[in-house]
Amino acid sequence: MKMDPETIQPLLKALAEATDSMSADVLAVGGGMPLVSWGSAAAAGVRGRDLTTMRDAIRDLAGRVVQQGGDGVVESADAVGHLLLATPLNYHDFHGAMCLVREGDRPWSATDRTLLAMAGALCAAVMEAGEMPGQYGRLDALVTYVATEFMGVSTTDLAETRHRVLGELGRYFGADTCLLRHNDPERRASILIDEWPRREVIPDPDPLGVVPWDTDDPIFAMIKDLREPFILRPSDGQSSYQQRVEAGSGVPQVSMATVPLIEGESTRGVLGLIHFGDRIWTRAEVRALRAIASLLVQLDGRVTAEESLHHQAYHDELTGLWNRRAFVEHLTTALAADPHAPLAVLFADMDRLKTVNDVLGHAVGDSFIQQVGQRLRESVRPLDVVARLAGDEFVIVLHGIGSAAAAERAARRILDRVAEPLDVGGHAISRSASIGLVVNGDVASTADELLSNADVALLDAKERGGDSVVTFNDELRSKLLNRADLELRLRTAIGDNQMRLYFQPEFDLRDGRLTAVEALVRWQHPERGLLAAEAFISVVEEINLAAELGRWVLEEACRQLSVWKSTSPVPPPVVRVNISAGELISADFVGFVATLLNRYGLAPAELGIEITEGTVMREIDDVQATLNGLRGLGVTLAIDDFGTGYSSLAQLKQLPVDILKIDRSFVSALAENSGDRAIVAAIVRLAEAFNLTTVAEGVEDPAAVTTLLDLGCYRAQGFFMSKPLPAQVVLEQARNPGVPLRLA
């Protein structure tokens, strides 16, 4: 088999440039130097023994891919600071490979591999075309031209490149029209994708544009499943086809050579040449068209794969909306074009969505998120952008809005629309949302800054109870500065003895008896006074002080209980401490707890460990061993904020816990909200089924006490009974339990 380097080399050049390779070679198995090359290792500076080693590696890799057999097999190898990639190249009695060499250690991508496999197939087509005589020139040169054009094409320039190639085909074969049609299974029709030259006058409707498969025209009915080339001349008597062509183009009689675009067992469409009047199509011309049709199929497959990868990279899988990457790139581009562009960034988050997952399951929750995303898209204009970041967090860019008032009106309309009930899997679900927004101002901002400021505003909106719109302003900017101050001072606060423990009493609602105290950390800030945990705990987590602070809290709580036991005949029976996920999964946590119990002379049952439900469910495999170890010590275990996480019955059953603490969000309006009552009742029944105790958090009025007792929840904590207290005051609660809250 002879191979013309002049026709193959342009293909290798296009391949090397598209894959950022320093060389591309075609070599026969068992041969020495490459038969055709573009670029070289020697020209790139590889010398002496390294060059010999690389050439041996290329020959070895070529032999391996040919030995494996099969079309499109791609193998890689390393050689002296370079990466090699090869695919088999077989045609008749020729057995060899096409090989790429790239300098450095950047791995080959899926696109690189696809391009190489495609180039191998193209090279075989060029070799075949080289055997065909052409009336207008060498057919292998034509095939090489087409292959080179298609090698580096992307989604953005596909249409332009394809039209240019159709024009070259038409001119090469002296055709009056060159056309490309695709089969559309959804529309059950043949669709005209492109034509050269494009008609100046196109009828409406166009009889050649979309032709249904069930048409009376036998030619268009046939091309749906065409597997072999089809030749048509005026003398063949296909009057219905000739009439359709005349209606669409004004030409009364045509000759046509059509080849199918075949992919596996399906026909994707057809490539056709049309001559006005009569014409004889040679076998060599048809074979060249078949080779080019094969290139078109490979091109479509590669572009489709790239479009899919691009879509996955820039779109959220669940909702189909843009993801964070696409959103940030869009916003960055808009700001680069005009740093002071009138636009607003909205950060939206659903309120109390976790209960939907808990009660109705994740499938319903996912469906709800999908519908919320669709509603958000419908609530803004086509020029605006909606993206999903994660979970129930969405971001929006409103273009052309330069004032906070206009942005707030738009945000309020969005919230009202989102809050309307949705039918999800037969369930009518209604959930409010919160929005934080920032308006691009006189001072230029980056995309990250705008997004961060909108996030800060969202946190403020959530703190207001949800269903709120908050605009980032100077006050929130001051909060950001305060946050920076907290971060700076927190790093030394524990060592400087600035931390304090307060204790939230827990009572038996039937007789007012103190049943436990929960340790709550406070910070005696040098300038701002006593700060509750909510003011600084998020900063603690961000700067990785959670484990250090958590261990301080645990030890201080044990020490304080030891003091109470030594100074009072009626100390609190249990002290509970909330533990973070990071502490739970640390290797020595169980040993640390055992050491504290021994150091302060505490019975294990006198220490309670609380873990939030979300923490347990996210880290269940990692924390299971720790929880079992704590249970082995005899420490009581409670799930805090229950009802806001993702636990299932199966998961709850395997956890060695004693107590479920019902989240305050279900308790604060318990007497008035039938939905909250139903959730609390379900949690109480669930706890009874597993022989667990329930404790209600956030009790703030006597109506909640009455409702909890009616539902069978007998323990609670909250401001109605007592606020968190300093250690020296707690004993007063233990000594004087007070009047029963309600007689059983």
Side-chain angles (χ1 to χ4, degrees):
M1 167 62 62
K2 293 184 178 180
M3 185 178 300
D4 185 356
E6 291 184 2
T7 57
I8 301 293
Q9 200 171 49
L11 173 60
L12 296 181
K13 178 178 183 293
L15 173 64
E17 291 175 345
T19 58
D20 191 26
S21 301
M22 70 182 192
S23 68
D25 302 314
V26 172
L27 61 162
V29 173
M33 297 297 292
L35 303 177
V36 185
S37 298
W38 183 86
S40 71
V46 182
R47 295 287 186 271
R49 182 176 300 176
D50 288 343
L51 183 59
T52 301
T53 301
M54 175 176 289
R55 287 173 174 169
D56 288 342
I58 291 174
R59 284 191 289 268
D60 291 344
L61 183 59
R64 190 162 72 240
V65 295
V66 171
Q67 185 177 10
Q68 286 186 356
D71 295 333
V73 173
V74 176
E75 281 284 327
S76 62
D78 298 339
V80 269
H82 297 76
L83 295 180
L84 279 57
L85 194 67
T87 190
L89 177 56
N90 299 304
Y91 180 71
H92 291 341
D93 58 348
F94 177 83
H95 300 288
M98 182 178 289
C99 184
L100 295 173
V101 177
R102 173 188 284 167
E103 188 175 11
D105 57 359
R106 181 165 57 90
W108 300 104
S109 68
T111 300
D112 294 332
R113 294 173 181 273
T114 301
L115 285 172
L116 178 58
M118 176 179 171
L122 299 181
C123 189
V126 172
M127 293 164 69
E128 179 181 10
E131 299 178 346
M132 306 174 193
Q135 181 179 355
Y136 303 96
R138 289 179 49 183
L139 290 173
D140 59 346
L142 172 67
V143 175
T144 299
Y145 162 77
V146 174
T148 303
E149 285 285 292
F150 284 164
M151 181 57 61
V153 73
S154 64
T155 304
T156 55
D157 55 6
L158 172 61
E160 178 186 350
T161 303
R162 192 164 52 195
H163 185 73
R164 186 168 62 250
V165 167
L166 290 181
E168 290 299 325
L169 290 180
R171 284 186 285 268
Y172 184 92
F173 288 106
D176 292 297
T177 298
C178 187
L179 58 88
L180 180 67
R181 305 190 68 92
H182 280 181
N183 290 336
D184 189 333
E186 292 186 2
R187 301 171 71 177
R188 298 189 57 76
S190 171
I191 312 297
L192 180 63
I193 299 301
D194 202 357
E195 60 184 343
W196 175 90
R198 294 189 176 117
R199 289 168 286 164
E200 295 182 0
V201 178
I202 299 177
D204 187 16
D206 182 5
L208 300 176
V210 179
V211 182
W213 288 339
D214 58 0
T215 178
D216 293 335
D217 187 328
I219 302 300
F220 278 97
M222 172 195 63
I223 64 175
K224 167 182 175 290
D225 299 310
L226 189 67
R227 305 293 293 180
E228 296 293 335
F230 176 75
I231 305 297
L232 175 72
R233 297 175 65 186
S235 59
D236 293 338
Q238 297 290 347
S239 58
S240 59
Y241 174 78
Q242 298 286 0
Q243 291 168 4
R244 180 182 292 275
V245 172
E246 183 175 6
S249 64
V251 179
Q253 287 188 330
V254 297
S255 299
M256 177 178 65
T258 303
V259 292
L261 307 177
I262 297 175
E263 182 180 34
E265 300 299 319
S266 64
T267 301
R268 294 177 57 92
V270 293
L271 170 67
L273 295 174
I274 291 180
H275 178 78
F276 297 162
D278 196 10
R279 185 193 195 280
I280 297 175
W281 303 95
T282 69
R283 182 173 300 177
E285 291 170 337
V286 174
R287 289 173 65 190
L289 277 180
R290 292 189 72 170
I292 294 170
S294 175
L295 304 187
L296 282 167
V297 171
Q298 294 176 61
L299 172 67
D300 284 345
R302 179 169 68 83
V303 170
T304 299
E306 289 177 357
E307 287 178 339
S308 176
L309 289 173
H310 184 274
H311 188 275
Q312 293 174 25
Y314 285 88
H315 289 79
D316 172 58
E317 182 178 1
L318 180 62
T319 63
L321 298 172
W322 278 5
N323 59 17
R324 178 186 289 271
R325 175 182 179 180
F327 180 84
V328 171
E329 287 189 11
H330 170 82
L331 188 54
T332 300
T333 301
L335 294 174
D338 181 3
H340 306 291
L343 58 84
V345 175
L346 280 60
F347 203 133
D349 183 84
M350 303 303 297
D351 298 328
R352 296 174 60 194
L353 184 64
K354 291 180 179 179
T355 55
V356 174
N357 290 314
D358 295 340
V359 177
L360 301 178
H362 288 284
V364 173
D366 286 348
S367 181
F368 179 72
I369 287 293
Q370 289 175 325
Q371 294 196 41
V372 167
Q374 182 177 348
R375 275 217 175 147
L376 289 174
R377 182 65 265 178
E378 294 169 351
S379 300
V380 298
R381 303 160 299 174
L383 73 157
D384 300 323
V385 171
V386 180
R388 178 180 179 234
L389 298 188
D392 54 357
E393 295 179 345
F394 297 86
V395 284
I396 302 167
V397 174
L398 300 177
H399 288 283
I401 290 185
S403 72
E408 288 171 1
R409 287 194 297 270
R412 189 69 254 177
R413 287 195 299 270
I414 291 171
L415 287 187
D416 292 342
R417 178 76 176 107
V418 169
E420 295 174 7
L422 283 167
D423 184 355
V424 184
H427 303 278
I429 301 177
S430 177
R431 276 291 177 270
S432 62
S434 299
I435 289 180
L437 68 87
V438 60
V439 178
N440 192 35
D442 296 333
V443 179
S445 300
T446 66
D448 287 339
E449 288 171 342
L450 290 176
L451 197 57
S452 176
N453 292 343
D455 190 15
V456 170
L458 172 64
L459 292 176
D460 194 72
K462 301 290 280 187
E463 289 175 0
R464 299 184 186 188
D467 193 27
S468 301
V469 176
V470 172
T471 301
F472 185 80
N473 52 28
D474 290 339
E475 181 181 352
L476 290 177
R477 184 174 284 106
S478 177
K479 284 187 177 181
L480 279 179
L481 295 176
N482 288 337
R483 187 182 184 88
D485 173 71
L486 292 179
E487 179 178 336
L488 180 65
R489 294 178 181 270
L490 269 171
R491 296 187 183 278
T492 59
I494 300 175
D496 291 347
N497 197 31
Q498 295 175 7
M499 293 299 170
R500 305 285 185 269
L501 278 192
Y502 273 52
F503 298 88
Q504 174 86 55
E506 171 193 304
F507 297 94
D508 189 316
L509 297 179
R510 294 167 293 187
D511 56 18
R513 177 172 49 88
L514 182 70
T515 53
V517 291
E518 178 183 356
L520 302 173
V521 68
R522 299 288 186 262
W523 179 15
Q524 191 66 50
H525 191 281
E527 297 175 0
R528 299 168 59 185
L530 191 67
L531 301 180
E534 293 79 7
F536 61 87
I537 201 67
S538 61
V539 183
V540 168
E541 293 171 349
E542 288 181 9
I543 62 177
N544 298 318
L545 284 178
E548 181 182 349
L549 179 59
R551 296 210 167 193
W552 179 89
V553 170
L554 186 57
E555 179 162 7
E556 179 63 17
C558 290
R559 187 197 66 79
Q560 185 59 61
L561 181 56
S562 175
V563 171
W564 284 329
K565 289 177 64 178
S566 65
T567 58
S568 172
V570 282
V574 179
V575 62
R576 303 195 200 283
V577 181
N578 203 298
I579 301 301
S580 68
E583 294 173 86
L584 273 180
I585 62 177
S586 61
D588 63 338
F589 184 72
V590 174
F592 178 68
V593 171
T595 299
L596 292 180
L597 293 175
N598 182 63
R599 179 181 301 165
Y600 294 106
L602 301 182
E606 293 176 323
L607 176 62
I609 298 295
E610 296 187 1
I611 316 102
T612 62
E613 184 185 9
T615 295
V616 174
M617 292 308 112
R618 286 193 304 270
E619 313 285 348
I620 188 165
D621 293 333
D622 294 328
V623 306
Q624 184 78 46
T626 303
L627 295 180
N628 288 334
L630 293 172
R631 166 54 64 86
L633 292 178
V635 172
T636 59
L637 300 174
I639 297 182
D640 197 17
D641 300 335
F642 190 78
T644 62
Y646 300 92
S647 58
S648 67
L649 291 178
Q651 290 170 322
L652 188 59
K653 183 178 180 180
Q654 64 179 309
L655 294 174
V657 298
D658 309 284
I659 297 168
L660 301 183
K661 299 190 73 173
I662 303 171
D663 187 71
R664 65 182 62 249
S665 63
F666 305 116
V667 178
S668 59
L670 186 60
E672 299 83 22
N673 192 305
S674 59
D676 287 343
R677 269 199 312 276
I679 291 173
V680 172
I683 294 174
V684 172
R685 300 288 86 77
L686 178 65
E688 290 176 349
F690 287 100
N691 196 28
L692 305 176
T693 300
T694 51
V695 177
E697 301 177 289
V699 175
E700 298 182 359
D701 57 66
V705 173
T706 301
T707 305
L708 286 169
L709 286 167
D710 290 341
L711 294 176
C713 179
Y714 302 129
R715 292 190 183 184
Q717 61 188 73
F719 282 13
F720 177 66
M721 289 84 74
S722 174
K723 294 182 178 180
L725 305 170
Q728 62 270 24
V729 182
V730 170
L731 291 179
E732 294 299 320
Q733 293 284 1
R735 295 193 190 99
N736 304 298
V739 179
L741 298 172
R742 180 183 125 177
L743 293 176

